Amino acid sequence: MSQSVSYTVDGDIGIVRVNNPPVNALSHHVRQGLYDCFMAADADATVATILICDGRTFIAGADITEFGKPPKPPHFSLPLNAMEDMSKPVIAAIHGTALGGGLETALCCHYRVAVPSAKVGLPEVHLGLLPGAGGTQRLPRLIGAQAAVDAIAGGGHIDAPTAHAAGVLDALVDEGDLLEGAKAFARKIVSAGGALNKVRDINEKVTGVDPAIFETARANAIKTRRGFKAPLSCIACVEAACTLPFDEGMARERELFQELHDDLQSAAQQHIFFAERAASKVNDMPKDVTVLDIKRVGVIGAGTMGGGIAMNFANVGIPVTLLEMKQEFLDKGLGVVRANYERTAKKGRLSAAQVEERMGLITPTLDYADLADVDMIIEAVYENMDVKKEVFGKLDEVAKPSCILATNTSTLDVDEIARVTKRPEMVIGTHFFSPANVMKLLEIVRGEQTSFETLATTLAVTKAIKKVGVVVGVCDGFVGNRMIHQYLAQSQYLLEEGCLPHEVDAPIYDLGFAMGPLTMSDLAGLDVGWRIRQGKGLPESLAEGDRYCEIGDRICEKGRFGQKTGGGYYKYDPSDRSRQRDPEIEQLIIDYSREKGIERREIEGNEVLERLMYALINEGAWILEEGIAQRASDIDVIYVYGYGVPAYLGGPMFYADHIGLDKVYQRVCEFAERDPASWKPAPLLKKLAESGGTFN
Ligand code: T1G
């Protein structure tokens, strides 16, 4: 026994019970406890043994906090092999989520039963790993190679009924009493002879498998998970299950697991796993803050953002009142929402009934009075302070006293908006990223007067609508957009100094970003930034000594706003929007440099990469210094979930730590030496560089 695993006898059945909150992870003491308890069970007179867990879930995997540290015995194989070699039937009784090492443990039992609400899965791929306790060898033996490749390389959760139909589970038992159901199942097995069904001995489904399954899976992984190593190793392991005897397949799994475990990619992805969870914690928030019950919400504005925001709530069954100024805008907005749902339905991810159910949850209106009973309102109107102030003035009048008022502004001052209301403590920023119904990131902008209750409630709502929330402070651009502003500025300066668009984009794309800065600008629309710069009177209003590049303006003046107009920095084929270099724009850039008297030079790809990445990192250091972000890992979460940085890089601050802050700081100083107008080395970066410190 150990502090987390106990063994009791209930009549003629042994019960091994794990109790290792919060998710019964397979920590070293659990592995030892399991081994000790199953040894005890094997030696006594019981006829079967049930493995069950206390708390909210069956074993949810290995203890990720143990990774990257010296391994503590025993290895997974000790308890798992002992279970599989027991002299009597072992039944796994599953509730909650049997994931990773948890499902692998269950696969070493002779039978598996679960309540219908349970889920199973092998999500190690999301941690940059692969199932390292036999999952890649046993799961294909139950469900076949194709399904196993999908489950392991995809890393998804499988609901219990589906898992039962696929053969992973032997039975579903009453939600009300898992243990009783498992005991009844055990007695049935024993009375039928007590067969010891070892998954490792089932070979029909891994024999004569078409090798094309693995080739197709590899091609797909390379395309959809570009740069990630784990999916390819997962596929190789399942292939080994279909081409090698079990023990050799296990050896191959161990070899490939160790490779991934030792690779920076898995450290980065585990960093993001914990960073995502840390991001929802507010350092100065008391533990007992009230969370308001948000039963109905209002959304102001049925444009691209408002419609997408409304979908997030409808998707989880929360009714939405969607307000617009004109019927035609409402009709258009709802048409876009319906089209989005129908596109999802076409892919088989929604039924027609679910489309109607979700559309039915969105109530359109032109009348502010219809917002009187909602519990939270999210404003998503035109990005103009006067318009937002007018809207918040009205909302303050019609909304009930306990209603939270949130703004979706992407850069404007939330405090200034709050000040036009009589409830500034209930005003907060909820910065969704476009498309709002797809992007998982939500920057939660905490105003100077935002109450803890408003903040805690908004965090709870964020989790309820399945977003990844990061609490940020008020400044121009908050965290993500403030950093991207410096990044995009460097992309412009690289153009005027000597690069062509594809030479700016390539190094960042090769690093793993979904796309380079100029392709991203073309996708977002060049006119957005152009209008903001015009609104600020730039370049005429430029402060003395500031640097400004007009290339973007020149392109917009030609009516080229990016993909949506068929051309921006690149030209786009109207049939498939494929991107091509555009000689006209490249000539415009070259002519611009000449006009400005800038002698163009050959700029190495490495300098391009450093200037773009270090612009992000240096601004991130300023943001940390000013307390706009609580922790460096929050910035990493923002960039992975909001800006297409692959999780295997861990985000800009994790990347900087890996490069070495002394090297980063040295290069930032060199850039500042050459271009003091656009580089201000952050004091925090200097301090950490000189003290050998790291951001995370
Ligand atoms: N190890 C350690 N801590 C974990 C953990 C784990 N596996 N899973 C969750 N936690 C912590 C988490 O950090 C948080 O801590 C708390 O539990 C609640 O988590 C050999 C090598 C199970 C679906 O990838 O997907 O097995 O912030 O906020 O939203 O092949 O946690 O409270 O201090 O996420 O209800 C494979 C990872 C591991 C599952 C629950 N398993 N976990 O979600 O709660 S590798 C996984 C999850 C492996 C073997 C390999 C989710 C959840 P704190 P939470 P939740």
Side-chain angles (χ1 to χ4, degrees):
M1 320 315 172
S2 71
Q3 86 251 33
S4 50
V5 186
S6 62
Y7 178 61
T8 54
V9 175
D10 181 340
D12 57 353
I13 293 178
I15 313 282
V16 176
R17 188 181 290 276
V18 178
N19 182 16
N20 184 28
V23 296
N24 288 315
L26 268 177
S27 310
H28 63 95
H29 50 81
V30 173
R31 301 195 295 270
Q32 186 60 54
L34 284 172
Y35 177 73
D36 296 343
C37 289
F38 276 99
M39 287 297 97
D42 210 23
D44 68 17
T46 54
V47 297
T49 311
I50 289 171
L51 171 61
I52 195 164
C53 293
D54 286 342
R56 57 200 256 191
T57 178
F58 190 79
I59 299 166
D63 184 342
I64 309 173
T65 63
E66 289 183 355
F67 294 156
K69 296 173 190 158
K72 288 183 183 170
H75 185 270
F76 299 101
S77 54
L78 185 73
L80 269 54
N81 291 345
M83 294 159 66
E84 194 168 53
D85 295 338
M86 281 276 281
S87 59
K88 59 191 82 175
V90 179
I91 297 97
I94 297 169
H95 72 294
T97 49
L99 299 173
L103 178 55
E104 292 176 293
T105 299
L107 292 175
C108 289
C109 298
H110 304 117
Y111 302 91
R112 289 151 296 282
V113 302
V115 292
S117 61
K119 292 187 190 314
V120 301
L122 294 174
E124 289 89 338
V125 68
H126 299 308
L127 296 171
L129 297 169
L130 55 82
T136 67
Q137 305 304 303
R138 288 190 177 87
L139 189 64
R141 282 174 162 77
L142 283 179
I143 64 175
Q146 185 62 63
V149 163
D150 296 343
I152 297 170
H157 295 182
I158 305 163
D159 62 68
T162 305
H164 179 222
V168 179
L169 302 174
D170 297 282
L172 296 178
V173 298
D174 179 2
E175 198 77 50
D177 194 335
L178 173 58
L179 181 57
E180 281 314 308
K183 280 160 50 177
F185 180 86
R187 291 205 176 86
K188 200 170 77 176
I189 290 296
V190 170
S191 59
L196 303 178
N197 288 349
K198 292 186 182 183
V199 174
R200 60 172 289 158
D201 294 338
I202 305 169
N203 291 310
E204 297 78 57
K205 294 190 176 180
V206 292
T207 307
V209 173
D210 178 359
I213 286 177
F214 308 110
E215 293 318 313
T216 306
R218 271 189 276 273
N220 181 46
I222 289 165
K223 185 160 159 272
T224 60
R225 307 293 304 278
R226 182 172 65 91
F228 284 89
K229 294 176 180 174
L232 296 173
S233 298
C234 288
I235 295 163
C237 283
V238 178
E239 190 170 27
C242 301
T243 53
L244 298 174
F246 181 82
D247 289 336
E248 289 175 40
M250 286 294 285
R252 180 74 174 138
E253 178 190 271
R254 259 196 303 281
E255 177 196 351
L256 292 176
F257 176 85
Q258 200 55 46
E259 262 179 35
L260 291 177
H261 178 273
D262 298 343
D263 192 289
L264 184 65
Q265 284 201 3
S266 61
Q269 290 178 247
Q270 288 152 43
H271 164 68
I272 291 299
F273 174 86
F274 288 114
E276 178 186 334
R277 285 152 181 81
S280 59
K281 293 180 171 68
V282 180
N283 291 336
D284 61 334
M285 174 112 83
K287 286 270 176 292
D288 57 350
V289 172
T290 307
V291 173
L292 301 177
D293 190 7
I294 304 297
K295 293 193 182 71
R296 299 183 60 85
V297 303
V299 173
I300 315 298
T304 309
M305 290 307 283
I309 292 168
M311 289 176 70
N312 287 307
F313 290 93
N315 292 346
V316 294
I318 297 175
V320 185
T321 300
L322 180 62
L323 179 134
E324 250 298 355
M325 304 314 291
K326 289 183 186 164
Q327 189 59 44
E328 65 183 280
F329 298 157
L330 261 187
D331 296 344
K332 181 166 182 278
L334 284 173
V336 170
V337 169
R338 175 173 288 279
N340 287 338
Y341 280 137
E342 284 173 354
R343 208 172 13 259
T344 305
K346 269 209 191 89
K347 294 173 190 163
R349 294 210 296 264
L350 270 185
S351 67
Q354 285 172 316
V355 171
E356 295 314 320
E357 181 189 347
R358 292 185 187 188
M359 290 303 297
L361 283 166
I362 301 174
T363 306
T365 182
L366 300 172
D367 185 354
Y368 272 85
D370 288 343
L371 297 167
D373 66 345
V374 300
D375 307 302
M376 181 175 194
I377 298 172
I378 298 168
E379 163 272 316
V381 300
Y382 183 58
E383 189 71 355
N384 172 283
M385 183 55 88
D386 294 339
V387 172
K388 290 188 186 298
K389 283 181 173 177
E390 185 189 344
V391 167
F392 269 75
K394 283 183 189 162
L395 294 179
D396 201 27
E397 282 162 25
V398 303
K400 63 187 181 184
S402 64
C403 180
I404 288 173
L405 304 181
T407 171
N408 177 54
T409 181
S410 58
T411 58
L412 298 176
D413 185 334
V414 174
D415 295 329
E416 190 176 339
I417 294 171
R419 283 194 285 271
V420 304
T421 73
K422 293 186 283 301
R423 64 178 89 189
E425 74 287 354
M426 309 205 69
V427 175
I428 194 165
T430 48
H431 176 211
F432 288 82
F433 282 70
S434 183
N437 55 306
V438 173
M439 296 298 283
K440 291 202 39 101
L441 178 66
L442 183 58
E443 278 186 323
I444 299 169
V445 189
R446 178 181 181 181
E448 63 196 9
Q449 299 186 72
T450 301
S451 70
F452 282 123
E453 187 178 80
T454 299
L455 188 53
T457 303
T458 304
L459 281 163
V461 166
T462 301
K463 186 158 186 171
I465 62 173
K466 300 182 173 30
K467 294 291 182 186
V468 175
V470 183
V471 179
V472 299
V474 176
C475 70
D476 186 355
F478 315 132
V479 172
N481 283 347
R482 173 170 159 181
M483 289 168 63
I484 212 75
H485 175 77
Q486 297 299 331
Y487 170 82
L488 293 175
Q490 284 304 316
S491 71
Q492 299 296 303
Y493 303 149
L494 286 161
L495 287 176
E496 67 180 12
E497 291 174 31
C499 288
L500 295 175
H502 66 284
E503 292 166 332
V504 173
D505 281 351
I508 280 286
Y509 178 80
D510 293 344
L511 180 66
F513 279 45
M515 59 190 78
L518 302 174
T519 303
M520 181 180 77
S521 301
D522 273 356
L523 179 65
L526 304 181
D527 51 327
V528 175
W530 186 39
R531 301 246 190 281
I532 291 174
R533 293 192 298 272
Q534 287 177 320
K536 291 178 178 173
L538 289 168
E540 295 69 27
S541 63
L542 208 57
E544 183 62 31
D546 276 4
R547 184 171 180 179
Y548 185 85
C549 172
E550 295 174 47
I551 291 173
D553 300 343
R554 302 287 173 89
I555 292 174
C556 287
E557 283 154 16
K558 290 174 168 291
R560 295 172 60 116
F561 298 152
Q563 262 197 33
K564 60 186 171 186
T565 59
Y569 289 100
Y570 301 91
K571 59 183 177 185
Y572 297 88
D573 184 316
S575 62
D576 61 2
R577 287 200 162 191
S578 60
R579 190 191 65 198
Q580 292 130 24
R581 289 174 58 176
D582 186 338
E584 181 194 343
I585 293 301
E586 294 182 5
Q587 192 55 53
L588 178 151
I589 292 166
I590 292 165
D591 294 346
Y592 174 82
S593 302
R594 188 181 309 114
E595 176 196 325
K596 293 295 178 185
I598 298 169
E599 193 178 330
R600 293 178 68 82
R601 65 183 173 92
E602 190 75 27
I603 301 177
E604 286 295 308
N606 200 46
E607 179 182 336
V608 172
L609 187 62
E610 287 177 329
R611 283 176 56 179
L612 292 171
M613 287 304 291
Y614 297 178
L616 288 178
I617 294 160
N618 188 56
E619 195 61 25
W622 278 108
I623 283 169
L624 282 171
E625 189 123 38
E626 296 164 22
I628 299 294
Q630 294 185 94
R631 52 187 84 82
S633 61
D634 287 0
I635 296 174
D636 290 333
V637 170
I638 285 171
Y639 267 78
V640 165
Y641 284 101
Y643 292 83
V645 175
Y648 71 70
L649 287 181
M653 312 314 270
F654 181 94
Y655 175 83
D657 287 342
H658 163 62
I659 296 286
L661 298 191
D662 54 342
K663 294 188 181 69
V664 174
Y665 180 61
Q666 181 200 337
R667 288 295 277 153
V668 169
C669 291
E670 287 167 12
F671 296 150
E673 187 78 25
R674 195 169 65 193
D675 175 12
S678 60
W679 287 93
K680 307 274 184 292
L684 176 62
L685 178 58
K686 177 179 191 308
K687 192 174 103 202
L688 291 174
E690 289 170 350
S691 63
T694 54
F695 285 123
N696 284 302

